Amino acid sequence: MADGTVFAEREPGWFDKGSGTVIVRYTVGGVDYLIETARDPGDRFLRAGDVVPIEYVVARPADGRSVWAVEAARSDAVFGLTVAGICAGLGVISGVGYLVGRWRSSGRRFG
């Protein structure tokens, strides 16, 4: 784990979605590395000079990533699963309503 510093901001292009990206510089073993990450990784909005925690594999320090970006991705997964469950439930309710409607229109009655 290392602390990186945001030193450059990149605005999104004309047709790009999102808030753009930032370039983060971090040092491991006296060597500087650069990574590009989302400017808005969840509940923070990164600006030049901000300190960002970076995690990396010891054997490959150049392949670091922002810890905040990882946390934001995890929270999106929970949201996605929740929405998928709700949609599946609504699909089941819709299917039951369709079948009941067909049963009623067929003229079948109780008794």
Side-chain angles (χ1 to χ4, degrees):
M1 187 80 98
D3 285 336
T5 304
V6 176
F7 80 97
E9 302 172 28
R10 293 188 178 168
E11 297 294 327
W14 283 89
F15 301 106
D16 293 338
K17 294 182 179 179
S19 58
T21 59
V22 294
I23 306 296
V24 179
R25 179 186 300 151
Y26 63 101
T27 304
V28 176
V31 179
D32 286 341
Y33 296 98
L34 302 175
I35 61 167
E36 186 171 358
T37 189
R39 190 179 198 181
D40 184 15
D43 61 341
R44 299 163 181 89
F45 192 78
L46 300 175
R47 300 194 184 280
D50 288 350
V51 176
V52 179
I54 304 294
E55 66 179 9
Y56 60 91
V57 176
V58 176
R60 296 187 324 259
D63 295 335
R65 62 184 179 173
S66 168
V67 174
W68 291 338
V70 173
E71 291 172 356
R74 288 184 188 139
S75 67
D76 289 346
V78 171
F79 175 76
L81 290 174
T82 303
V83 169
I86 290 170
C87 288
L90 290 173
V92 168
I93 291 170
S94 176
V96 169
Y98 173 77
L99 292 175
V100 167
R102 285 191 48 115
W103 178 74
R104 283 188 169 179
S105 67
S106 68
R108 296 184 186 156
R109 302 281 180 235
F110 291 110

